[in-house]
């Protein structure tokens, strides 16, 4: 089976769900515009504050309004990044529900898949097309967005409300973990859709499994790499002392990539297992 063999089924799948795909792309583009716009806005506010002669560290008479305005708007941009990060964190759940329900479960429930199978499209090619469309959308858009979000996050480190790399929504937005979770969501959604074959139950099952795995990995995340001894230096670092009450432990920012790569590897392994299980089940039931 080659990508050329999948061209027809992929075109049909993309055509049926083009509105959802275009809508998702529009949301991503809006977020991609909002992030650098927010960074530019904060930088311009800082320049205006400096030009006025006012300082946050030493607020003198007559500077209160300017300083309060600068801080409130800076916090607003920080919150905007946080909420965009939350949306990225929800992406695996949305992908899993979409694949499990509208993409696969609905066709199995209504029986429309039989029409494609009688048009020289084998069950394996039909299922592969269901994978290719969301995976292609993720790989074409999400890595670039992750790089952009990481760049924006780095630009906040010298302002009053820095975005910390270890905050749960941020961590899953500025590294390869974001792509790993998205691919895992697609794989679990496909497996749930094929196993259950009904739209709403398949969506519920996919959401439950993906949510449980996400919660488990968040709890295990501090243990994916050996933490450093002592308190976080200069207040910078991820304090994980609560994992071992007998001593102080923390993850410096240099642990970001080891932690990300370990978690991404786990997610990709789970995605591969779920994908293989989906094709094995398809072959046993419809082979």
């Amino acid at each position: 089976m080659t990508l050329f063999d999948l061209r027809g089924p992929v075109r049909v799948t993309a055509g049926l769900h083009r509105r959802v795909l275009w809508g998702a792309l529009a949301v991503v583009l809006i977020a991609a515009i909002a992030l650098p716009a927010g960074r530019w806005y904060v930088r311009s506010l800082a320049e205006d504050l400096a030009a006025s002669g006012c300082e946050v560290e030493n607020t003198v008479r007559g500077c209160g309004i300017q300083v309060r305005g600068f801080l409130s708007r800076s916090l607003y941009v920080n919150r905007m990044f946080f909420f965009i990060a939350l949306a990225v964190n929800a992406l695996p759940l949305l992908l899993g529900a979409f694949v499990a329900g509208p993409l696969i479960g609905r066709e199995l429930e209504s029986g429309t898949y039989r029409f494609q199978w009688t048009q020289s499209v084998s069950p394996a090619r039909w299922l592969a097309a269901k994978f290719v469309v969301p995976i292609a959308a993720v790989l074409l858009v999400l890595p670039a967005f992750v790089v952009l979000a990481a760049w924006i996050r780095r630009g906040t480190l010298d302002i009053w409300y820095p975005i910390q790399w270890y905050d749960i929504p941020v961590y899953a937005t500025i590294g390869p973990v974001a792509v790993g979770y998205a691919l895992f969501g697609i794989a679990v959604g496909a497996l749930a859709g094929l196993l259950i074959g009904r739209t709403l139950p398949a969506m519920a099952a996919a959401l439950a499994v993906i949510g449980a795995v996400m919660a488990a990995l968040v709890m295990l995340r501090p243990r994916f790499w050996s933490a450093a001894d002592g308190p976080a230096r200069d207040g910078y670092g991820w304090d994980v002392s609560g994992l071992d009450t007998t001593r102080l432990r923390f993850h410096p920012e240099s642990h970001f990539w080891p932690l990300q790569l370990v978690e991404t590897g786990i997610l990709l392994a789970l995605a591969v297992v779920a994908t293989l299980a989906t094709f094995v089940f398809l072959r046993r039931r419809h082979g």
Side-chain angles (χ1 to χ4, degrees):
M1 185 188 306
T2 65
L3 288 177
F4 182 79
D5 297 329
L6 295 176
R7 188 171 58 182
V10 166
R11 187 185 299 114
V12 171
T13 301
L16 288 173
H17 302 281
R18 61 185 180 277
R19 291 183 179 177
V20 174
L21 295 173
W22 282 114
L25 179 60
V27 171
V28 172
L29 289 177
I30 292 172
I33 293 171
L35 286 177
R39 172 172 171 162
W40 172 84
Y41 182 57
V42 171
R43 292 295 180 184
S44 66
L45 288 174
E47 293 173 1
D48 292 342
L49 185 67
S52 70
C54 297
E55 298 179 354
V56 176
E57 300 94 330
N58 186 22
T59 303
V60 298
R61 185 184 299 273
C63 286
I65 294 176
Q66 292 91 329
V67 170
R68 283 196 298 271
F70 169 73
L71 291 177
S72 63
R73 289 172 175 82
S74 298
L75 181 60
Y76 173 80
V77 172
N78 179 285
R79 294 298 90 189
M80 179 187 69
F81 187 102
F82 186 82
F83 286 122
I84 291 175
L86 282 177
V88 174
N89 281 228
L91 184 61
L93 296 168
L94 297 175
L95 284 169
F98 172 70
V99 174
L103 204 61
I104 293 179
R106 183 177 297 169
E107 286 203 24
L108 294 176
E109 190 172 29
S110 63
T112 55
Y113 68 95
R114 296 191 183 93
F115 175 76
Q116 291 191 54
W117 290 6
T118 60
Q119 302 298 312
S120 301
V121 176
S122 66
R125 287 175 60 197
W126 171 83
L127 180 58
K130 304 302 181 185
F131 274 100
V132 167
V133 170
I135 288 176
V138 165
L139 295 182
L140 286 173
V141 176
L142 192 55
F145 183 84
V146 167
V147 172
L148 174 64
W151 176 71
I152 297 297
R153 204 279 307 183
R154 294 291 300 179
T156 70
L157 297 182
D158 57 349
I159 65 175
W160 280 95
Y161 296 104
I163 299 170
Q164 301 295 351
W165 65 272
Y166 50 81
D167 288 339
I168 291 176
V170 176
Y171 179 89
T173 304
I174 61 173
V177 157
V179 179
Y181 273 112
L183 297 178
F184 171 71
I186 292 170
V188 171
L191 180 59
L194 195 67
L195 284 174
I196 299 174
R198 290 185 295 159
T199 304
L200 293 180
M203 293 175 69
L207 288 173
V209 172
I210 296 168
V213 171
M214 291 176 69
L217 290 180
V218 167
M219 290 188 293
L220 294 173
R221 183 174 294 160
R223 303 181 185 276
F224 288 156
W225 199 257
S226 298
D229 291 320
R233 300 181 180 91
D234 300 323
Y236 292 102
W238 181 13
D239 186 356
V240 292
S241 301
L243 299 177
D244 184 356
T245 57
T246 62
R247 55 179 175 169
L248 300 176
R249 305 280 284 170
F250 78 104
H251 283 296
E253 190 164 356
S254 60
H255 288 187
F256 171 79
W257 279 106
L259 289 166
Q260 283 269 329
L261 293 176
V262 170
E263 189 166 350
T264 302
I266 293 172
L267 289 165
L268 294 179
L270 292 174
V272 168
V273 170
T275 301
L276 292 176
T278 304
F279 278 96
V280 168
F281 181 78
L282 177 72
R283 177 175 296 180
R284 289 184 176 179
R285 173 173 288 188
H286 303 287

